[in-house]
Amino acid sequence: MGVKINWRALVALTVLSVSLGAQAQDGRYVVGAGLADSTGEVAENTMFGYADDKQVSTGLQQRMHARAFTLTDGQTGKGVLLVVVDAGAISQAIHQQVLRQLAARYGGRFTEQNVMISATHTHSGPGGFSHYTLYGLTTEGFQRGTYQGMIDGILRAVDRAVASEAPADIRFGRSQLTNASAQRSATAFARNPVAERAAFAGQIDADMAVLRFERGGKAFGAVSFFAVHPTSLTSKNTLVSGDNKGYAAYYWEKLMQGTQYRGGKGFVGAFANTNAGDMTANLHLHPGSGPTEDEWENARIIGERQAQAAISTPMALSVSGPIDSRQKYFDMSRVQVRADFTPDRQPHTTCPAAYKSAFAAGSTEDGGGGDALVSMGLVGEGRSNPLIAALGTMLFYPSADLVRCHGHKEVAIAMGTAQPFPWSPEVLPAQVVRLGQLALVAMPGEFTIAAGRRIRQTVAERLGLPLSQVLFMGYTNAYAGYNTTPEEYDQQDYEGASTHFGPYTVPAWQQNVAELADALRSGNQLANPLVPRDLSAYQVSLRAGVVFDDVPLGKRFGQVEVQPKSIYRRGEVATAVFWTGHPKNDLRQEDSFLEVQQRQPDGSWLTVRDDNDWDTVYYWKRVFVAWSQATVSWAIGPQVAPGTYRFVHKGNWKNGWTGAIAPLSGTTQAFQVR
């Protein structure tokens, strides 16, 4: 029997060993940074975040990206992989498949122990990438194109990070950012102890933490950690976008110059989320409001504020010391929580997952799919609805023990006891990483600022670290809703109503991370007997794929239907309309659906904008059955150089007879910018 050799993994490990040999001589770290396009389906795909089945994508305002960083200890060879993805969440389906693919590529280098995959939590990204029913209810089930697009982008970013590995310095700093978030659940927050509330001036988590990676004193990558919901864009928006955190990354990477979004080279700046469960970007506490009444301007401003804060944060700490990590899966539906982790100093248990009717209301400050129910008075934050509770009883038959376990929560959706599988995951990962004098805590959901602080305190105490040197990463490695303190839970606002595992969910997480931190401190390994279920064989999509594309008689794919005007002035919006195919035919990752080209003095054309730029938009519209049009636009800013420009549209169309997918392109007439 022959021996099959994984040559890619062998080469990668050989390169790593050479790098580490050089690293060990000077004691620094080996660091790599990679950027890749992870955009999913940008048309006829329900978005993830607001749980609004009417928020169906109609185009692209900004491409989604995965940003990956490999951090390796040159002395021991131990390391971690940190990935930040423009997405609403990281599902277990994504996490499981990425780990399988990493094992195929790199052998045992990257495992569940040292891989952290985190989502920015934009609410304007494509959905349908979870294997669990709860998250497929509003996305018409599983959407394979978006799922695969996210995985491809993550893996490409990791490959690029590995390829760029070299000795580097890691620096760390903290600052305060007070005008980019607001407390959206003040009544629930006020239930926490006075001393705890005092730690949050203005009822917000203003901490901006930054890891920066340098060679020769020059930064080539960075990760910012800041708590805010990327909900500047409302549920009425149907254009795929990274929202405020997407703009923050775009701003910093453009400012540093040299970042090539097609090809993934240059400076990589990621904006990770933390304990943002009750932190809204809508500063006026109303959807799409604050600091202005223009949601797109709000996304830009809140994003720029994050970027500028990250850039100006002083790097006060030069990171040094070993890298190590611990990860373990816990069944959160049945944790026996010890008395030393609960506010009343009594033992308690967590519960199988359930929601209250207030979950359907969404957050008043950010909006969501339940807006119509709220306007009719059927649901609301902190309110019960006996009718919905009765319907939930008929559908899910919650037991008396389950209802009693959830305390103040009126059980309306008992997804944890659904058959044959729970509607949301209960076997979930927790992870603690030691990075020199720092610790990173990765958690699978949305934690309020008080909940996040309690978990950070638990890890800080166990590892003997200052609280300021323990970083929290929410939305990481899996997703299972909200996590509120027991005090906040009793208020049963949206966040408490959406806390899956009952009032003692956060104390259970504190107990879990204490176990991980203790193992890190002692150097002991942990058994990991639980394995999340794999539901890949049970997926259904209710949204039809592309059957075929067509154009009216006398038209051709790529033909310009509406030409741009001949002259535009700065401050105006240039537009053009093309006959096109469905964008699901090809996600065009590492490419573009539109280009703005400028004529050069020698007569050639140079691409100066594409569909990743904040001032361009690609709209797609089904005109009739299989006919569709693409409208491209460019908001011509005051800094644009006068000259001659044109639009180029690229796409793909599907042949109804053969099923073959072919490229298409079209070019407009030239127009002047004055």
Side-chain angles (χ1 to χ4, degrees), residues 459-499:
V459 172
E461 291 167 3
R462 285 314 213 267
L463 294 181
L465 292 173
L467 184 62
S468 61
Q469 290 172 209
V470 178
L471 307 180
F472 188 95
M473 293 182 64
Y475 315 95
T476 302
N477 295 336
Y479 181 79
Y482 278 79
N483 298 264
T484 54
T485 67
E487 297 90 338
E488 294 167 335
Y489 181 92
D490 285 346
Q491 176 67 26
Q492 280 298 294
D493 278 351
Y494 170 68
E495 295 82 5
S498 304
T499 294

Side-chain angles (χ1 to χ4, degrees), residues 26 29 70 82 117 144 147 152 201 220 225 230 307-308 351 383 389 422 466 504 535-536 547 553 580 587 637 647:
D26 57 18
Y29 299 104
T70 58
L82 170 59
I117 309 175
R144 183 163 296 279
Y147 165 81
D152 290 345
F220 63 89
F225 302 83
Q308 289 180 339
C351 326
R383 298 212 317 264
Y504 298 98
L535 297 178
S536 56
V547 180
L553 187 64
T580 192
L587 304 180
F647 283 114

Side-chain angles (χ1 to χ4, degrees), residues 352-366:
Y355 273 156
K356 179 184 175 181
S357 59
F359 151 76
S363 162
T364 304
E365 297 77 15
D366 289 332

